[in-house]
Amino acid sequence: MTHDIPEGPVLLSPTEDAVVSVEDLLVSWSSVDKTIDGSDVDIISYQLIIEKDETPNPHMIGKRGLSMYLPSSVTQITIPKEFLEPGINYNWEVLAIEESGNQSLMSGQFSTEE
């Protein structure tokens, strides 16, 4: 176990509180190669989570959303239009996971056009 806490990735797109189209939404973030102390770090994966900003249905565990682990070489991905709904607020976050399991995250929010 190490104490190599990675820096949080910078969320590039969509920007905070942006209103975006449900068609071909590209989410992107900066790559992480340093710890919070400035040392080099080996990121093994990013986890992307996007959830509707809603009260969970009492018959579901959690909110409606998507979560995926991506290779450390991937810092952008297009979200399928089938996932997004018009006129909805979404929360999103990206976790940077380093080789011993330490992780940091950054989060933001966006809305889709009506």
Side-chain angles (χ1 to χ4, degrees), residues 11 13-18 20 25 27 47-56 62-68 79 83-85 87-95 105-112:
L11 304 182
S13 177
T15 57
E16 186 69 10
D17 296 323
V20 301
L25 174 63
V27 296
Q47 182 182 9
L48 170 66
I49 301 168
I50 301 177
E51 294 181 328
K52 281 180 76 171
D53 186 9
E54 65 180 356
T55 302
K63 297 179 181 181
R64 194 171 347 172
L66 65 78
S67 175
M68 62 181 84
I79 304 305
F83 170 72
L84 298 171
E85 298 175 47
I88 299 293
N89 296 325
Y90 290 91
N91 297 312
W92 72 296
E93 58 188 44
V94 176
L95 290 83
L105 71 88
M106 294 297 283
S107 62
Q109 62 183 49
F110 64 90
S111 301
T112 49

Side-chain angles (χ1 to χ4, degrees), residues 20-78:
V20 301
S21 170
V22 297
E23 301 285 328
D24 301 320
L25 174 63
L26 180 71
V27 296
S28 64
W29 57 91
S30 66
S31 62
V32 175
D33 60 5
K34 299 288 183 192
T35 66
I36 57 174
D37 296 328
S39 303
D40 292 340
V41 69
D42 184 21
I43 299 300
I44 59 168
S45 186
Y46 293 105
Q47 182 182 9
L48 170 66
I49 301 168
I50 301 177
E51 294 181 328
K52 281 180 76 171
D53 186 9
E54 65 180 356
T55 302
N57 183 303
H59 302 293
M60 292 173 42
I61 297 173
K63 297 179 181 181
R64 194 171 347 172
L66 65 78
S67 175
M68 62 181 84
Y69 288 93
L70 300 161
S72 60
S73 59
V74 175
T75 57
Q76 65 179 25
I77 191 163
T78 302

